[in-house]
Amino acid sequence: MSTRLATGGRLIDRTRPLGFSFDGARLRGYAGDTLASALLANDRMLVGRSFKYHRPRGILASGAEEPNALLGLGTGARFEPNVRATQQPLFEGATATSQNAWPSLAFDIGILNDLAARLLPAGFYYKTFIHPRPFWKHLFEPVIRRAAGLGRAPREADADRYEQLYAFADVLVAGGGVAGIAAALAAAATGARVILAEQTAHWGGRAPVDGDRIDGQAAAEWVAAALARLGAMPNVTLLPRTMVAGVYDHGYVLAEETLADDPAPGHARRRLWRIRARRIIAATGAIERPLAFAGNDRPGVMLASAVRDYVVNWAVSPGDRTVIVTNNDDAYRTALALLDAGLAVPAILDARPEATGALPAALRARGVRVEAGRAVARVLGRGRVRAVQTCLQAGEGAVIDEIPCEAVAMSGGWSPVVHLWSHCGGKLRWDEGRAMFAPDPARPPTGADGAAMVIAAGAASGALHATDCLRDGHEAGRRAAAEGGSMPPEAASPAEAPHAEAPAEAPLMPVWRMPQGAGVRLAAKMWLDFQNDVKVSDVELAAREGYQSVEHAKRYTTLGMATDQGKTSNINGLAVLAGAIDAPIPAVGTTTFRPPYTPVVIGTLAGEARGAVFQPLRRTPIHGWHEARGAHWEPVGQWRRPYCFPQGGESHADAVRREVLAVRNAVGLLDASTLGKILVKGPDAGRFLDMLYTGVMSTLPVGKCRYGLMCNENGFLSDDGVVARLSEDTFLCHTTSGGADRIHGWMEDWLQCEWWDWKVYTANLTEQYAQIAVVGPKARAVLEGLGGIDVSAEAFPFMAWVEGTLGGIPARIYRISFSGELSYEIAVPAARGLELWERLMDAAAPHGATPYGTEALHVLRAEKGFIMIGDETDGTVTPQDLNLGWAISKKKADYLGKRGQERSFLTHPDRWRLVGLETLDGSVLPDGAYAVAEGTNANGQRNTQGRVTSTYFSPTLGRGIAMGLIARGPERMGEVVGFPTLDGRVVQARICDPVFYDKAGEKQNV
Amino acid sequence: MLTLTCPNCGVAADETELAPGGEAHLKRFGPGASDDDFEAYMFARANPKGIHFERWRHAYGCGKWFLAARCTATLEVFATYPAQSAAPPEAVLAAIRARRPGWEGRS
């Protein structure tokens, strides 16, 4: 059993015990523990069930690479799934739960999958559940989804706070091991701005555990002194508990800092750092590889480095007797650590033909049985390790002897953590001698200056030995400061690197399968990817079935596709694939490394951008008035516009009906402030607008308004609105509410990039003015109530504008109409908007004073057959399709979209064109419904001949009205077409004129 | 996420401040143009792995358009220059040749 040792533990504080729970059981640990070390100290070797076969799984690693110990942490709104127990510091009251087990971790029914493992090989789901097709969606997938999955998503909104921060650095060092510290020291000495980020709460990485000496001090002491120096430098920012998640273009880096595990109310839990770094040093260390032997996934089989960490850092014994199995010298350090803690090492099984280096010699000198050329044939024990059977590495697995033990420490060598090097395109080279992919300095990720923006340092660059590692880190720091900083490195950077003393190590021997001649029965129990349950036999099967590309084999077997992204499995997996297809490992290559390095909580990425501040909200000057009157809101771009103003217990539909009738019969007020208002001024303004609009604007007299259409170069309608000529060289262009910024950008594009010699200036004045539409037969009376401007029909005709003082407020009034009624749109300085609105409401009181919203606006315009950008248009509709030929100049040589509209398919007579649609039964057509035609298309679907673009209940007419685009529509007046609905009915509608109300336009010409 | 220096205001702008505008130095074909010329103007775009000329707008900055010469493979930026350029200026071409000896120009 695993237990806490009586003494030792570099990181724990035995004076501060902490209580926590795991699957309801109350347990105790110490401050400084991780969840993983505390679980092991409580003999909780079994922490989860595997993804596919539900095999019992224990803790494999001690850091970010942990594939098994994924737990649910917290409850309710603070529940977080898939927390790696190895990275989660213990805190008082922590509530952890196991995942992927039912009904309980110890008695999991899914283990039946393991008994049937032979029937569930790679690609099983693909092969088995294809037919019959409907079964997948309705039967197989729901069942498989419930059985699979590594943690469930939280069900409540995240109760925690997150924040974000921008930072700039000359040199960002990712990784606070000794290489990263050496790099930071060298870079910071030049005065460069340095950020040093370390994903754990502790500095120094592996060196203090491995017992190296640096500059004559114990590694831990050197680290403490170095950190004190760095901490005192104003140009250095130290970020412990900060995981550098990804490196992006031009030195952009995202990092996630954990601020508190159990934050006080109102305090942030995590922080996203958005860093721009001129040089990035990836001092991210290396990850130990498992060995592939039968039963290597049993609880109690751990990485050798992890065993060492648990003993030295947290005084946790993985068991009284630990067998070491290795292909390199480094794992011998684990044996030393175990012996120093008073634990037993019954044997060291070294796969290499001989083990004669300094470290093996030291172990032999302490009386440990060191067996060269030896391997593990299989691990015995089910819920935990009971013994190992040994065999010859060179053989097929014939058992030589059986060694009782509680734990197995395995080491298959080390893989540099190349993620940050690779995220932005850095390439790797295969180091044959050390059997690893390492960054290729000749092919780095490059930045804006064309030079390497990432420098790999220390173990991450392949400098695994402590001496090389420190020198490498130091040199990386000097180089990064020279390239990214502003001072010459000779000035201040110490030329001498810190010097580490550590025993020399003999070369490793690549071992991808143990024993090398193992047959399929053993291979089917050799795990590669622990989290996604991929075995040696699965990769070999994929290769046999033709998935020989590493990217294909990955997807077929799911190797490396779990939340750990294959940190412990990728190299072993592709080596097995290489063996299966007889290709050299570098020819097989690696899969792509993508950010984030370890998963980032969504809340961190969202930061404060949630709820009411998810995005900016634009409010008109009259917004507060609408809000106080209980307006029902509709989002229009980033604006909120009142959809309607329900009164009493009125439904929205009833409110819209009342508002429409008030406009038709008396007067209504609309807050039109969101309407785009772009000033276009200059000697060439008229010429410019003639290019922009399909119609002619240069001939518009001062004092008049004209409706205009804008198209893109493809010929499709993009925006519409009324243009007013304010003076000889000044026009005010109204755009749709959602289109103002886009159209302003469009104008600037042409002015800056095509006609840059034209003398035109534009300004987006949308927010400078409040605009209020007073609409209805009583509109004139309302304006007369305010006084100051002659609004009589004679003085102020339709499609004119006047300027003056309305009720004491400076105003410009446009006599334009989007409803077919007598209508004035009054623009005043934004600061006077609410005042004008209230004055108008008072003046309109004798006539009912009805404010109306966007839905009534839509109904009113649809009754008149006016188009709406975004309803009648969708980016594939021309003005000609909408019968708007009258607004297109035939005389102009050119306008944007003219050439596009000349193409044959846009002039084809079969195009869908705008018509009105009246249902035979008076009902309202479903929005977006299609009109079906005879026959079916190549996909067996009914042919279509048109669709509904706008559809409303018309309170004025007392029935449904609609507009739609119908093939050859205007030629087919009176024809009846059918619109199938979602509930299987077919609604019959007659093609008619789209102007349903006041065709002669008498109501607006009064 | 790219950083491009706006030649109009001098700010080294993050990509989030910029709006992309596609390939630079297109020649507009309007009424009277052949179908082939119009199609090329509307739809045919270079998509090189290598040196490319692009339009960008400093949308959340000074609002001005500018052009950038950069390598789409290495993300190296050779120059940013005014949008009022019918073709890459000689200084921009020289900056590219200095970094890519033997470069034969736009295809």
Side-chain angles (χ1 to χ4, degrees), chain B residues 28-52:
Chain B
R28 178 172 184 259
F29 283 91
S34 69
D35 278 354
D36 286 348
D37 281 346
F38 183 73
E39 184 195 14
Y41 158 59
M42 265 325 281
F43 304 114
R45 293 292 180 272
N47 185 22
K49 180 177 182 179
I51 293 163
H52 195 35

PDB file of all heavy atoms in Angstrom, chain B residues 28-52:
ATOM      1  N   ARG B  28      -9.204  47.206 -60.933  1.00  0.00           N
ATOM      2  CA  ARG B  28     -10.660  47.104 -61.047  1.00  0.00           C
ATOM      3  C   ARG B  28     -11.079  47.024 -62.505  1.00  0.00           C
ATOM      4  O   ARG B  28     -10.567  47.761 -63.351  1.00  0.00           O
ATOM      5  CB  ARG B  28     -11.329  48.310 -60.391  1.00  0.00           C
ATOM      6  CG  ARG B  28     -12.855  48.283 -60.512  1.00  0.00           C
ATOM      7  CD  ARG B  28     -13.540  49.372 -59.705  1.00  0.00           C
ATOM      8  NE  ARG B  28     -14.987  49.196 -59.821  1.00  0.00           N
ATOM      9  CZ  ARG B  28     -15.770  49.922 -60.630  1.00  0.00           C
ATOM     10  NH1 ARG B  28     -15.245  50.884 -61.383  1.00  0.00           N
ATOM     11  NH2 ARG B  28     -17.066  49.691 -60.695  1.00  0.00           N
ATOM     12  N   PHE B  29     -12.011  46.109 -62.789  1.00  0.00           N
ATOM     13  CA  PHE B  29     -12.629  46.034 -64.107  1.00  0.00           C
ATOM     14  C   PHE B  29     -14.118  46.319 -63.956  1.00  0.00           C
ATOM     15  O   PHE B  29     -14.813  45.639 -63.212  1.00  0.00           O
ATOM     16  CB  PHE B  29     -12.411  44.658 -64.746  1.00  0.00           C
ATOM     17  CG  PHE B  29     -11.024  44.498 -65.291  1.00  0.00           C
ATOM     18  CD1 PHE B  29     -10.010  43.970 -64.505  1.00  0.00           C
ATOM     19  CD2 PHE B  29     -10.721  44.915 -66.577  1.00  0.00           C
ATOM     20  CE1 PHE B  29      -8.726  43.840 -64.998  1.00  0.00           C
ATOM     21  CE2 PHE B  29      -9.430  44.791 -67.077  1.00  0.00           C
ATOM     22  CZ  PHE B  29      -8.424  44.245 -66.288  1.00  0.00           C
ATOM     23  N   GLY B  30     -14.589  47.350 -64.650  1.00  0.00           N
ATOM     24  CA  GLY B  30     -15.987  47.754 -64.559  1.00  0.00           C
ATOM     25  C   GLY B  30     -16.716  47.476 -65.861  1.00  0.00           C
ATOM     26  O   GLY B  30     -16.344  46.575 -66.621  1.00  0.00           O
ATOM     27  N   PRO B  31     -17.767  48.254 -66.103  1.00  0.00           N
ATOM     28  CA  PRO B  31     -18.558  48.069 -67.321  1.00  0.00           C
ATOM     29  C   PRO B  31     -17.665  48.118 -68.555  1.00  0.00           C
ATOM     30  O   PRO B  31     -16.737  48.918 -68.632  1.00  0.00           O
ATOM     31  CB  PRO B  31     -19.521  49.261 -67.287  1.00  0.00           C
ATOM     32  CG  PRO B  31     -19.653  49.577 -65.841  1.00  0.00           C
ATOM     33  CD  PRO B  31     -18.326  49.295 -65.231  1.00  0.00           C
ATOM     34  N   GLY B  32     -17.962  47.246 -69.510  1.00  0.00           N
ATOM     35  CA  GLY B  32     -17.172  47.175 -70.736  1.00  0.00           C
ATOM     36  C   GLY B  32     -16.061  46.149 -70.673  1.00  0.00           C
ATOM     37  O   GLY B  32     -15.503  45.773 -71.692  1.00  0.00           O
ATOM     38  N   ALA B  33     -15.745  45.685 -69.455  1.00  0.00           N
ATOM     39  CA  ALA B  33     -14.680  44.689 -69.334  1.00  0.00           C
ATOM     40  C   ALA B  33     -15.189  43.326 -69.812  1.00  0.00           C
ATOM     41  O   ALA B  33     -16.381  43.026 -69.758  1.00  0.00           O
ATOM     42  CB  ALA B  33     -14.225  44.592 -67.882  1.00  0.00           C
ATOM     43  N   SER B  34     -14.258  42.512 -70.302  1.00  0.00           N
ATOM     44  CA  SER B  34     -14.630  41.167 -70.740  1.00  0.00           C
ATOM     45  C   SER B  34     -14.997  40.305 -69.532  1.00  0.00           C
ATOM     46  O   SER B  34     -14.642  40.620 -68.395  1.00  0.00           O
ATOM     47  CB  SER B  34     -13.453  40.525 -71.473  1.00  0.00           C
ATOM     48  OG  SER B  34     -12.421  40.258 -70.537  1.00  0.00           O
ATOM     49  N   ASP B  35     -15.708  39.230 -69.804  1.00  0.00           N
ATOM     50  CA  ASP B  35     -16.068  38.311 -68.718  1.00  0.00           C
ATOM     51  C   ASP B  35     -14.823  37.789 -68.007  1.00  0.00           C
ATOM     52  O   ASP B  35     -14.792  37.659 -66.785  1.00  0.00           O
ATOM     53  CB  ASP B  35     -16.879  37.132 -69.273  1.00  0.00           C
ATOM     54  CG  ASP B  35     -18.351  37.493 -69.446  1.00  0.00           C
ATOM     55  OD1 ASP B  35     -18.734  38.609 -69.036  1.00  0.00           O
ATOM     56  OD2 ASP B  35     -19.099  36.661 -69.999  1.00  0.00           O
ATOM     57  N   ASP B  36     -13.787  37.480 -68.789  1.00  0.00           N
ATOM     58  CA  ASP B  36     -12.573  36.925 -68.179  1.00  0.00           C
ATOM     59  C   ASP B  36     -11.900  37.931 -67.264  1.00  0.00           C
ATOM     60  O   ASP B  36     -11.491  37.598 -66.144  1.00  0.00           O
ATOM     61  CB  ASP B  36     -11.583  36.486 -69.273  1.00  0.00           C
ATOM     62  CG  ASP B  36     -12.046  35.206 -69.947  1.00  0.00           C
ATOM     63  OD1 ASP B  36     -12.987  34.576 -69.403  1.00  0.00           O
ATOM     64  OD2 ASP B  36     -11.484  34.851 -70.989  1.00  0.00           O
ATOM     65  N   ASP B  37     -11.795  39.190 -67.732  1.00  0.00           N
ATOM     66  CA  ASP B  37     -11.172  40.210 -66.898  1.00  0.00           C
ATOM     67  C   ASP B  37     -11.989  40.444 -65.634  1.00  0.00           C
ATOM     68  O   ASP B  37     -11.445  40.587 -64.536  1.00  0.00           O
ATOM     69  CB  ASP B  37     -11.055  41.532 -67.676  1.00  0.00           C
ATOM     70  CG  ASP B  37      -9.882  41.502 -68.637  1.00  0.00           C
ATOM     71  OD1 ASP B  37      -9.038  40.597 -68.496  1.00  0.00           O
ATOM     72  OD2 ASP B  37      -9.838  42.362 -69.538  1.00  0.00           O
ATOM     73  N   PHE B  38     -13.317  40.490 -65.800  1.00  0.00           N
ATOM     74  CA  PHE B  38     -14.151  40.750 -64.635  1.00  0.00           C
ATOM     75  C   PHE B  38     -14.074  39.588 -63.655  1.00  0.00           C
ATOM     76  O   PHE B  38     -13.980  39.789 -62.438  1.00  0.00           O
ATOM     77  CB  PHE B  38     -15.604  40.992 -65.059  1.00  0.00           C
ATOM     78  CG  PHE B  38     -16.489  41.335 -63.889  1.00  0.00           C
ATOM     79  CD1 PHE B  38     -16.396  42.582 -63.296  1.00  0.00           C
ATOM     80  CD2 PHE B  38     -17.378  40.409 -63.364  1.00  0.00           C
ATOM     81  CE1 PHE B  38     -17.184  42.902 -62.189  1.00  0.00           C
ATOM     82  CE2 PHE B  38     -18.156  40.719 -62.258  1.00  0.00           C
ATOM     83  CZ  PHE B  38     -18.068  41.974 -61.684  1.00  0.00           C
ATOM     84  N   GLU B  39     -14.071  38.376 -64.163  1.00  0.00           N
ATOM     85  CA  GLU B  39     -13.977  37.205 -63.284  1.00  0.00           C
ATOM     86  C   GLU B  39     -12.664  37.230 -62.508  1.00  0.00           C
ATOM     87  O   GLU B  39     -12.634  36.989 -61.299  1.00  0.00           O
ATOM     88  CB  GLU B  39     -14.073  35.915 -64.103  1.00  0.00           C
ATOM     89  CG  GLU B  39     -14.076  34.686 -63.211  1.00  0.00           C
ATOM     90  CD  GLU B  39     -13.810  33.401 -63.964  1.00  0.00           C
ATOM     91  OE1 GLU B  39     -13.368  33.474 -65.128  1.00  0.00           O
ATOM     92  OE2 GLU B  39     -14.041  32.338 -63.381  1.00  0.00           O
ATOM     93  N   ALA B  40     -11.589  37.558 -63.212  1.00  0.00           N
ATOM     94  CA  ALA B  40     -10.289  37.598 -62.546  1.00  0.00           C
ATOM     95  C   ALA B  40     -10.292  38.671 -61.453  1.00  0.00           C
ATOM     96  O   ALA B  40      -9.792  38.457 -60.346  1.00  0.00           O
ATOM     97  CB  ALA B  40      -9.191  37.876 -63.558  1.00  0.00           C
ATOM     98  N   TYR B  41     -10.880  39.811 -61.748  1.00  0.00           N
ATOM     99  CA  TYR B  41     -10.931  40.894 -60.767  1.00  0.00           C
ATOM    100  C   TYR B  41     -11.796  40.507 -59.566  1.00  0.00           C
ATOM    101  O   TYR B  41     -11.441  40.762 -58.414  1.00  0.00           O
ATOM    102  CB  TYR B  41     -11.492  42.145 -61.453  1.00  0.00           C
ATOM    103  CG  TYR B  41     -12.092  43.178 -60.530  1.00  0.00           C
ATOM    104  CD1 TYR B  41     -11.326  43.770 -59.521  1.00  0.00           C
ATOM    105  CD2 TYR B  41     -13.420  43.574 -60.673  1.00  0.00           C
ATOM    106  CE1 TYR B  41     -11.880  44.722 -58.686  1.00  0.00           C
ATOM    107  CE2 TYR B  41     -13.971  44.523 -59.835  1.00  0.00           C
ATOM    108  CZ  TYR B  41     -13.205  45.088 -58.834  1.00  0.00           C
ATOM    109  OH  TYR B  41     -13.753  46.027 -58.002  1.00  0.00           O
ATOM    110  N   MET B  42     -12.915  39.861 -59.820  1.00  0.00           N
ATOM    111  CA  MET B  42     -13.839  39.516 -58.732  1.00  0.00           C
ATOM    112  C   MET B  42     -13.347  38.348 -57.892  1.00  0.00           C
ATOM    113  O   MET B  42     -13.474  38.350 -56.682  1.00  0.00           O
ATOM    114  CB  MET B  42     -15.193  39.108 -59.327  1.00  0.00           C
ATOM    115  CG  MET B  42     -16.284  40.156 -59.439  1.00  0.00           C
ATOM    116  SD  MET B  42     -16.365  41.369 -58.149  1.00  0.00           S
ATOM    117  CE  MET B  42     -17.156  40.514 -56.847  1.00  0.00           C
ATOM    118  N   PHE B  43     -12.847  37.326 -58.570  1.00  0.00           N
ATOM    119  CA  PHE B  43     -12.711  36.036 -57.879  1.00  0.00           C
ATOM    120  C   PHE B  43     -11.301  35.464 -57.828  1.00  0.00           C
ATOM    121  O   PHE B  43     -10.989  34.727 -56.903  1.00  0.00           O
ATOM    122  CB  PHE B  43     -13.643  35.002 -58.529  1.00  0.00           C
ATOM    123  CG  PHE B  43     -15.069  35.432 -58.548  1.00  0.00           C
ATOM    124  CD1 PHE B  43     -15.719  35.703 -59.741  1.00  0.00           C
ATOM    125  CD2 PHE B  43     -15.776  35.582 -57.366  1.00  0.00           C
ATOM    126  CE1 PHE B  43     -17.043  36.100 -59.754  1.00  0.00           C
ATOM    127  CE2 PHE B  43     -17.095  35.980 -57.371  1.00  0.00           C
ATOM    128  CZ  PHE B  43     -17.741  36.250 -58.569  1.00  0.00           C
ATOM    129  N   ALA B  44     -10.473  35.735 -58.853  1.00  0.00           N
ATOM    130  CA  ALA B  44      -9.174  35.058 -58.876  1.00  0.00           C
ATOM    131  C   ALA B  44      -8.226  35.765 -57.919  1.00  0.00           C
ATOM    132  O   ALA B  44      -7.971  36.954 -58.065  1.00  0.00           O
ATOM    133  CB  ALA B  44      -8.617  35.068 -60.300  1.00  0.00           C
ATOM    134  N   ARG B  45      -7.741  35.031 -56.944  1.00  0.00           N
ATOM    135  CA  ARG B  45      -6.854  35.619 -55.951  1.00  0.00           C
ATOM    136  C   ARG B  45      -5.618  34.743 -55.801  1.00  0.00           C
ATOM    137  O   ARG B  45      -5.723  33.514 -55.787  1.00  0.00           O
ATOM    138  CB  ARG B  45      -7.552  35.709 -54.588  1.00  0.00           C
ATOM    139  CG  ARG B  45      -8.703  36.689 -54.547  1.00  0.00           C
ATOM    140  CD  ARG B  45      -8.207  38.136 -54.674  1.00  0.00           C
ATOM    141  NE  ARG B  45      -9.321  39.076 -54.630  1.00  0.00           N
ATOM    142  CZ  ARG B  45     -10.016  39.466 -55.698  1.00  0.00           C
ATOM    143  NH1 ARG B  45      -9.720  38.995 -56.901  1.00  0.00           N
ATOM    144  NH2 ARG B  45     -11.016  40.320 -55.579  1.00  0.00           N
ATOM    145  N   ALA B  46      -4.475  35.412 -55.691  1.00  0.00           N
ATOM    146  CA  ALA B  46      -3.251  34.673 -55.394  1.00  0.00           C
ATOM    147  C   ALA B  46      -3.337  34.160 -53.957  1.00  0.00           C
ATOM    148  O   ALA B  46      -3.876  34.837 -53.088  1.00  0.00           O
ATOM    149  CB  ALA B  46      -2.051  35.594 -55.559  1.00  0.00           C
ATOM    150  N   ASN B  47      -2.863  32.971 -53.747  1.00  0.00           N
ATOM    151  CA  ASN B  47      -2.860  32.406 -52.390  1.00  0.00           C
ATOM    152  C   ASN B  47      -1.506  31.747 -52.170  1.00  0.00           C
ATOM    153  O   ASN B  47      -1.414  30.549 -51.987  1.00  0.00           O
ATOM    154  CB  ASN B  47      -3.997  31.390 -52.257  1.00  0.00           C
ATOM    155  CG  ASN B  47      -4.116  30.870 -50.833  1.00  0.00           C
ATOM    156  OD1 ASN B  47      -3.661  31.514 -49.902  1.00  0.00           O
ATOM    157  ND2 ASN B  47      -4.704  29.695 -50.688  1.00  0.00           N
ATOM    158  N   PRO B  48      -0.445  32.547 -52.239  1.00  0.00           N
ATOM    159  CA  PRO B  48       0.882  31.946 -52.259  1.00  0.00           C
ATOM    160  C   PRO B  48       1.330  31.459 -50.888  1.00  0.00           C
ATOM    161  O   PRO B  48       0.939  32.035 -49.869  1.00  0.00           O
ATOM    162  CB  PRO B  48       1.779  33.101 -52.725  1.00  0.00           C
ATOM    163  CG  PRO B  48       1.081  34.317 -52.227  1.00  0.00           C
ATOM    164  CD  PRO B  48      -0.384  34.009 -52.295  1.00  0.00           C
ATOM    165  N   LYS B  49       2.110  30.403 -50.889  1.00  0.00           N
ATOM    166  CA  LYS B  49       2.873  30.068 -49.690  1.00  0.00           C
ATOM    167  C   LYS B  49       4.203  30.765 -49.892  1.00  0.00           C
ATOM    168  O   LYS B  49       5.072  30.272 -50.607  1.00  0.00           O
ATOM    169  CB  LYS B  49       3.045  28.557 -49.564  1.00  0.00           C
ATOM    170  CG  LYS B  49       3.829  28.169 -48.318  1.00  0.00           C
ATOM    171  CD  LYS B  49       3.927  26.661 -48.174  1.00  0.00           C
ATOM    172  CE  LYS B  49       4.675  26.310 -46.898  1.00  0.00           C
ATOM    173  NZ  LYS B  49       4.767  24.860 -46.718  1.00  0.00           N
ATOM    174  N   GLY B  50       4.300  31.945 -49.335  1.00  0.00           N
ATOM    175  CA  GLY B  50       5.500  32.736 -49.560  1.00  0.00           C
ATOM    176  C   GLY B  50       5.163  34.206 -49.567  1.00  0.00           C
ATOM    177  O   GLY B  50       4.272  34.642 -48.825  1.00  0.00           O
ATOM    178  N   ILE B  51       5.813  34.961 -50.416  1.00  0.00           N
ATOM    179  CA  ILE B  51       5.695  36.412 -50.382  1.00  0.00           C
ATOM    180  C   ILE B  51       4.345  36.847 -50.949  1.00  0.00           C
ATOM    181  O   ILE B  51       3.924  36.393 -52.011  1.00  0.00           O
ATOM    182  CB  ILE B  51       6.870  37.043 -51.149  1.00  0.00           C
ATOM    183  CG1 ILE B  51       8.157  36.755 -50.367  1.00  0.00           C
ATOM    184  CG2 ILE B  51       6.662  38.537 -51.338  1.00  0.00           C
ATOM    185  CD1 ILE B  51       9.400  36.935 -51.164  1.00  0.00           C
ATOM    186  N   HIS B  52       3.690  37.732 -50.226  1.00  0.00           N
ATOM    187  CA  HIS B  52       2.340  38.124 -50.580  1.00  0.00           C
ATOM    188  C   HIS B  52       2.146  39.592 -50.236  1.00  0.00           C
ATOM    189  O   HIS B  52       2.770  40.118 -49.315  1.00  0.00           O
ATOM    190  CB  HIS B  52       1.337  37.258 -49.797  1.00  0.00           C
ATOM    191  CG  HIS B  52      -0.053  37.312 -50.338  1.00  0.00           C
ATOM    192  ND1 HIS B  52      -0.337  37.425 -51.668  1.00  0.00           N
ATOM    193  CD2 HIS B  52      -1.257  37.268 -49.704  1.00  0.00           C
ATOM    194  CE1 HIS B  52      -1.655  37.448 -51.828  1.00  0.00           C
ATOM    195  NE2 HIS B  52      -2.224  37.358 -50.663  1.00  0.00           N
TER     196      HIS B  52
END
